[in-house]
Amino acid sequence: ASYLISSQAEAVKKSNGKPDGYIMLIDETESLSQDADCYLVRLTNNGSVSWARHITFVSGKKVRPSYDANGTLTGFIILGDALSGNAILKTDVSGNQGWQKRITTNLANALYRFQDLQATADGGCVVAGNLYVNSELSKAALFKMDNAGNITWGHEYILNADSEGPPNIRGVAITPT
């Protein structure tokens, strides 16, 4: 049996800023103890399905449209969960997968769990989340990836507030400079 875990939708715009439908991420799994698959679904402005793509081994967490510097849609960037950590995927405008990357660490018994991503003007993205060591929250983390999925920079932050322990980073926003 399959279970609908969650879904998330994001508006898509044309280069002139006018609405151009929606992109939706729908999770499904056969067991809550194994990696789940998800569906990337493109909707028209009136909610009709334009296309749907099945993405295996990744439970969808976030999806963001990706635009070039002129505001033209270039594809979609997906943040997915897997039992072995997060995966970041890039598709073209038709939902065909371009690349899939996982950000890992050399620390023993450690992995990154990302909570949010934002597409950047260069076709890449910024992902934000946390490093867990021995299943315990350790540090906040932020990484920038280019349009080919290569990490251009990454930082870990120790942000202890008083004696409360490290904060759990939930999101990232990109501001114009």
Side-chain angles (χ1 to χ4, degrees):
S2 293
Y3 304 97
L4 176 64
I5 302 299
S6 65
S7 65
Q8 188 246 333
E10 188 80 19
V12 179
K13 296 182 171 133
K14 294 181 181 180
S15 60
N16 63 6
K18 295 201 183 243
D20 190 25
Y22 303 89
I23 191 72
M24 187 168 58
L25 200 55
I26 301 174
D27 281 355
E28 62 98 29
T29 183
E30 292 184 9
S31 166
L32 296 178
S33 64
Q34 68 184 19
D35 285 344
D37 296 348
C38 69
Y39 290 89
L40 183 65
V41 181
R42 181 75 154 96
L43 304 173
T44 64
N45 283 332
N46 67 7
S48 299
V49 174
S50 294
W51 51 257
R53 302 288 181 259
H54 182 225
I55 299 172
T56 58
F57 305 115
V58 175
S59 170
K61 191 171 198 171
K62 300 272 184 179
V63 60
R64 303 282 191 228
S66 178
Y67 303 95
D68 66 15
N70 297 318
T72 302
L73 182 68
T74 60
F76 304 98
I77 301 175
I78 301 167
L79 174 60
D81 264 337
L83 291 178
S84 57
N86 291 124
I88 298 102
L89 294 87
K90 174 86 182 256
T91 73
D92 64 14
V93 294
S94 298
N96 301 308
Q97 188 172 325
W99 51 259
Q100 177 177 332
K101 303 286 181 160
R102 293 182 192 270
I103 299 175
T104 60
T105 178
N106 291 330
L107 295 174
N109 300 315
L111 62 87
Y112 291 105
R113 287 266 179 219
F114 295 106
Q115 301 297 324
D116 197 13
L117 85 156
Q118 294 293 332
T120 55
D122 64 358
C125 64
V126 173
V127 292
N130 304 282
L131 175 66
Y132 288 81
V133 179
N134 295 319
S135 299
E136 295 289 324
L137 182 60
S138 175
K139 299 176 186 175
L142 192 66
F143 287 88
K144 166 71 174 86
M145 300 174 82
D146 66 16
N147 65 355
N150 301 308
I151 296 171
T152 57
W153 54 258
H155 298 284
E156 295 173 354
Y157 306 94
I158 298 174
L159 304 169
N160 290 344
D162 300 322
S163 61
E164 296 175 6
N168 191 353
I169 302 301
R170 298 278 183 200
V172 61
I174 296 177
T175 58
T177 56

